[in-house]
Amino acid sequence: SSGINAEYGEDRVQEMLEKEDKQQKKLEEDLMFCKEKIAELEKYRILSVDKRSKLLSLRTQVELINSEMKESVQRVSRLHVMLRKREIALRNRRLDDLTET
């Protein structure tokens, strides 16, 4: 199964969601920064070797950020699934309690 244990309490899951949210915000900032730098470099008609390698490294960074973002989004959706499963389990337990009396 996924690396997330179903035994995590709701507080822990919320904590993890907040951490992912912070990371996504930072990734978005990094992405904006890289894109601005890329736009600056792309204004030049002729790029020096130095600028060309800077542009290449920025584009690589953008790809890395995008894939980190994708992974984070997947972790968040798994955490939401866990929360839903917990809610359903709790609801079912309450229904069982009701029907036993």
Side-chain angles (χ1 to χ4, degrees), residues 42-67:
E42 285 176 340
K43 283 181 197 155
Y44 296 96
R45 273 208 341 212
I46 298 165
L47 289 174
S48 64
V49 173
D50 179 49
K51 282 196 170 88
R52 202 171 315 148
S53 79
K54 199 172 280 181
L55 185 60
L56 216 69
S57 112
L58 282 165
R59 285 183 176 148
T60 304
Q61 220 173 324
V62 165
E63 283 175 33
L64 285 172
I65 291 170
N66 282 333
S67 80

Side-chain angles (χ1 to χ4, degrees), residues 19-34:
K19 193 179 139 223
E20 293 295 339
D21 190 52
K22 276 188 194 126
Q23 191 192 352
Q24 286 181 15
K25 282 189 172 75
K26 179 165 183 350
L27 288 171
E28 283 166 11
E29 285 169 18
D30 293 350
L31 194 60
M32 287 299 294
F33 176 78
C34 288

Side-chain angles (χ1 to χ4, degrees), residues 86-101:
R86 282 183 62 85
E87 282 169 20
I88 291 167
L90 286 171
R91 202 175 306 133
N92 289 344
R93 204 170 305 148
R94 280 196 296 270
L95 285 174
D96 288 345
D97 292 345
L98 287 174
T99 53
E100 279 172 20
T101 55

Side-chain angles (χ1 to χ4, degrees), residues 9-11 13-14 17 78-88:
E10 199 168 330
D11 291 346
V13 175
Q14 290 297 347
L17 283 169
R78 283 199 296 266
L79 288 166
H80 281 297
V81 167
M82 276 179 53
L83 284 177
R84 269 198 298 281
K85 282 183 180 168
R86 282 183 62 85
E87 282 169 20
I88 291 167

